[in-house]
Amino acid sequence: MNSKHQYVELSDGHFIPPLGLGTYKLQQVPNSNVTEATKIAIEAGFRHIDCAYVYQVEEEVGLAIRSKIADGTVKREDIFYTSKDWPSPLGCPTLTAASWR
């Protein structure tokens, strides 16, 4: 366990930070705000980023993550990105998780 960040072990042996940044925004909020908020969150120590296709900000979140990797703030393997596929055949979201480890 990293002394700076705490993690929860998943059933497959991977670890995920228990607290994540949610990236949902209201329609009237510019998408660029999500990019900046995500960068600030990563700088503050967030390593779990939660998004969804229906939020329509996946590109902005990706730009922020790539920017923080490029400037050395975080390593790719430190980010745990979760998303949701909507709708599922049951009419409810399906959680998908992608760790860049």
Side-chain angles (χ1 to χ4, degrees):
M1 181 191 255
N2 183 324
S3 61
K4 186 175 180 185
H5 304 286
Q6 293 185 354
Y7 296 88
V8 174
E9 186 171 4
L10 301 175
S11 62
D12 66 358
H14 287 94
F15 291 84
I16 185 171
L19 182 63
L21 172 72
T23 59
Y24 175 79
K25 68 163 191 69
L26 300 175
Q27 267 190 334
Q28 59 267 35
V29 175
N31 284 10
S32 61
N33 287 17
V34 174
T35 303
E36 288 309 308
T38 304
K39 287 180 184 179
I40 291 167
I42 291 170
E43 290 169 1
F46 280 84
R47 298 298 180 260
H48 177 186
I49 312 294
D50 178 68
C51 198
Y53 173 76
V54 296
Y55 300 170
Q56 295 295 298
V57 294
E58 291 176 312
E59 182 177 348
E60 289 77 8
V61 171
L63 290 171
I65 293 171
R66 282 192 295 272
S67 170
K68 293 288 106 187
I69 291 169
D71 74 8
T73 300
V74 68
K75 295 179 186 172
R76 181 176 175 154
E77 60 268 16
D78 294 335
I79 297 293
F80 203 106
Y81 177 86
T82 55
S83 188
K84 291 154 294 289
D85 295 327
W86 197 289
S88 75
L90 300 176
C92 58
T94 302
L95 179 65
T96 58
S99 174
W100 287 342
R101 294 177 194 261

